[in-house]
Amino acid sequence: MVFDVSVALTWILFIALFPITYFWMRRAWRIVVRRDYSEVALKRGVSPPNPARFAPFAAAINLIAGGIIGFVIIGVLAGGMPYETWTAIAGSTLWLKFMLDFALSRHAHPFILRKRA
């Protein structure tokens, strides 16, 4: 048996989808059900002045991304998704989630110009 790096990376990516989905769905649960806004639109670990205003957007991002990755997991386990399809969906979802979270955090923390003294 020959060690194939691409097979190992594929397994690592697939196994990593489970905790990713769990954390994203848990974050959406905390925002929607528990009304815990401590992880909404963080910028350098600091919440925005009004996190409740941005909570629906953060919950939607996490819920949709977690749902898509959950769909990918089910599709792979059922044997209905070819390799190219599920890796493309999972990779695109990961990158879009990171970009949308970044954009939301920057929108929640506006850039304020200060006068020089």
Side-chain angles (χ1 to χ4, degrees):
M1 183 173 161
V2 178
F3 177 72
D4 190 5
V5 175
S6 65
V7 173
L9 289 176
T10 300
W11 274 100
I12 290 170
L13 173 64
F14 179 68
I15 292 171
L17 293 179
F18 288 91
I20 289 170
T21 304
Y22 170 74
F23 283 110
W24 289 352
M25 294 300 246
R26 184 182 71 171
R27 184 174 286 175
W29 173 266
R30 284 181 177 176
I31 294 170
V32 173
V33 176
R34 292 188 177 174
R35 305 275 187 227
D36 179 12
Y37 304 136
S38 62
E39 297 180 356
V40 172
L42 297 179
K43 182 178 179 183
R44 296 186 185 136
V46 178
S47 292
N50 186 8
R53 177 179 173 201
F54 301 100
F57 303 108
I61 291 169
N62 285 294
L63 190 61
I64 291 169
I68 291 172
I69 298 294
F71 172 74
V72 168
I73 290 171
I74 292 169
V76 170
L77 292 177
M81 257 191 220
Y83 171 77
E84 292 82 14
T85 304
W86 75 262
T87 54
I89 294 171
S92 300
T93 304
L94 284 167
W95 279 106
L96 281 172
K97 161 78 165 76
F98 293 146
M99 286 187 272
L100 289 173
D101 272 345
F102 180 79
L104 182 65
S105 69
R106 293 313 180 252
H107 181 71
H109 295 272
F111 184 72
I112 301 171
L113 293 174
R114 297 182 183 166
K115 294 182 180 180
R116 293 185 182 177

